[in-house]
Amino acid sequence: MTRINPGSTIGIMGGGQLGRMLALAAANLGYRCHIFCPDERSPAFQVAHDVTIADYSDEKALTAFAQSVDVATYEFENVPALTAEIVSRETLLRPGARALQVSQDRLHEKDFLTESGVKTAPYVAFESEAELQEAIKKIGRPAVAKTRRFGYDGKGQVMIKNRADIDKVLDVTGGAPAILEGFVNFDREISVVVARSASGDVAAFPVGENVHSNHVLDTTDVPAQINDMVEAKAKVMATRIANSLEYVGVMGVEMFVNDGAGEIIVNEIAPRVHNSGHWTIEGAETSQFEQHIRAICDLPLGPTDARGRVHMKNLLGKEILEFDKYLADPKAHYHHYGKQDPRPGRKMGHVTWVNADED
Ligand code: AMP
């Protein structure tokens, strides 16, 4: 195992808020960060030691970036396979290419989860109208159609309840490879943020309970309203997934829970720090961002215990402008990602409360 000591340089592909919070955590441990991102207004650039503004297909820029760092990582799962390969030629890439390959394609992801012994919603792949009709016969209704690649926050998805919905599916998928999933009648959505270090140590954070609004994460609460058995089972599943991938870094595993049966169904995995883990910055003994840096540098993983009851709320669009309200609240920890344009629905920041009053 290669240990990367403080004082070294970490390369991060992607310059969004996740890259920014990773760079801040890395700086606290004495690392420098070099961020690679095509967008010159990237929030992570504001807090980094070095930046490269270039396209993910720019082999020369990628090679120079990789040669300037001691280990490279990423903050988004759609890093192209060729980009990962170019970087891997010159430096350590953690997590590795396999995590990207599995999580970039919903069919590969579901196949991998099933092989790992983890339950998913029933699914069938389709492309054409005829294949969609066959898939509906097998899965039944209601069902959810999702493009295999590049879907996030509900994009590229159609819920199929009635016949009229079927007509919408191919408009959304555009004939691109897709899957049809059975609709899961869940009681709650949870996620496990789990870390696995280069030496193979694994540590999961307490399970978070997530509420989405318009397919975008709105709030995360810890502890989740689940019993100890479900909590333990969720962590075991996330650990199994991380071990099966020989994963290095922090990963988010999204799950659906059926309270009555105590059943857990894995929805998807994100090979990166996760929005539902932002609560750990003030709410846990180690933040998910520091944990990711520890994991990829092969330092000992930090303790994951919660510091009490925690509530995290995303600030979307103009909500970021209500800072006076949050700054006047002694229990609120306000985070602004440094983005200029508060477009509706855009993730601009978040607020975390630890052990605040119930109301
Ligand atoms: P995804 O893009 O797969 O994370 O899906 C976004 C959201 O859509 C999830 O967080 C769920 O709230 C909902 N959803 C996705 N797939 C299903 C499903 N098979 N059954 C029920 N709800 C789903």
Side-chain angles (χ1 to χ4, degrees):
M1 291 301 122
T2 320
R3 177 159 173 173
I4 312 294
N5 280 320
S8 308
T9 302
I10 297 170
I12 302 174
M13 286 182 271
Q17 64 268 19
L18 301 179
R20 177 186 174 103
M21 289 185 273
L22 279 172
L24 290 168
N28 275 336
L29 290 176
Y31 294 94
R32 291 161 186 239
C33 284
H34 183 163
I35 314 279
F36 190 109
C37 190
D39 183 353
E40 61 187 27
R41 293 158 307 162
S42 296
F45 287 174
Q46 297 161 14
V47 300
H49 173 71
D50 208 354
V51 307
T52 298
I53 304 168
D55 198 81
Y56 291 112
S57 60
D58 185 337
E59 184 163 354
K60 210 169 135 205
L62 284 167
T63 302
F65 160 76
Q67 286 171 345
S68 77
V69 304
D70 300 291
V71 61
T73 189
Y74 41 86
E75 57 122 50
F76 70 113
E77 57 272 44
N78 284 320
V79 173
L82 185 58
T83 306
E85 194 200 307
I86 294 166
V87 170
S88 305
R89 280 184 216 141
E90 305 294 335
T91 192
L92 289 168
L93 179 66
R94 292 175 170 167
R98 170 121 170 88
L100 289 172
Q101 187 208 357
V102 164
S103 60
Q104 282 177 359
D105 183 314
R106 289 187 191 273
L107 181 62
H108 292 163
E109 184 176 59
K110 288 260 191 308
D111 287 346
F112 160 76
L113 290 169
T114 307
E115 283 158 21
S116 305
V118 166
K119 192 163 181 196
T120 70
Y123 63 98
V124 174
F126 73 91
E127 279 181 46
S128 64
E129 167 101 52
E131 285 170 351
L132 171 61
Q133 295 295 352
E134 276 305 303
I136 291 171
K137 270 190 213 149
K138 284 196 192 122
I139 300 287
R141 288 192 308 226
V144 189
K146 302 180 179 180
T147 52
R148 279 172 57 177
R149 297 175 68 86
F150 302 119
Y152 67 97
D153 289 348
K155 292 185 177 65
Q157 292 191 20
V158 187
M159 168 82 140
I160 306 174
K161 285 187 183 143
N162 50 43
R163 277 183 183 282
D165 294 329
I166 300 174
D167 296 334
K168 291 183 217 151
V169 173
L170 291 182
D171 291 340
V172 171
T173 64
I179 59 169
L180 188 72
E181 267 181 41
F183 182 80
V184 180
N185 234 333
F186 56 81
D187 293 303
R188 58 195 79 243
E189 291 189 74
I190 61 169
S191 56
V192 180
V193 175
V194 64
R196 185 174 180 278
S197 75
S199 290
D201 294 335
V202 180
F205 286 95
V207 176
E209 182 163 340
N210 304 320
V211 174
H212 293 84
S213 172
N214 297 323
H215 292 281
V216 177
L217 183 68
D218 182 18
T219 61
T220 299
D221 279 278
V222 174
Q225 297 300 301
I226 51 178
N227 65 39
D228 291 350
M229 214 180 67
V230 174
E231 171 101 15
K233 201 162 134 186
K235 287 181 176 172
V236 166
M237 284 166 122
T239 301
R240 188 184 295 178
I241 292 166
N243 282 333
S244 303
L245 283 172
E246 295 185 12
Y247 190 82
V248 179
V250 161
M251 131 189 297
V253 184
E254 297 179 22
M255 306 172 178
F256 302 134
V257 180
N258 185 324
D259 288 342
E263 185 185 46
I264 302 177
I265 287 168
V266 173
N267 178 32
E268 64 178 7
I269 57 182
R272 53 172 169 76
V273 283
H274 199 251
N275 193 170
S276 71
H278 290 2
W279 67 271
T280 59
I281 298 176
E282 293 88 9
E285 293 297 338
T286 308
S287 85
Q288 64 162 344
F289 301 99
E290 175 172 333
Q291 196 77 311
H292 184 76
I293 300 300
R294 287 179 180 232
I296 64 170
C297 292
D298 207 14
L299 305 180
L301 295 180
T304 52
D305 312 71
R307 290 177 165 156
R309 279 178 299 106
V310 192
H311 179 70
M312 188 286 306
K313 178 176 167 35
N314 269 340
L315 298 177
L316 304 181
K318 289 209 160 89
E319 286 173 346
I320 194 66
L321 303 175
E322 296 170 21
F323 42 80
D324 281 330
K325 177 171 98 185
Y326 298 118
L327 295 173
D329 178 346
K331 289 283 187 185
H333 300 274
Y334 171 81
H335 293 256
H336 188 303
Y337 301 150
K339 298 180 186 174
Q340 297 293 319
D341 176 17
R343 290 194 299 274
R346 189 176 192 205
K347 289 178 182 169
M348 300 295 292
H350 72 268
V351 192
T352 302
W353 290 264
V354 183
N355 288 324
D357 295 339
E358 287 302 330
D359 56 339

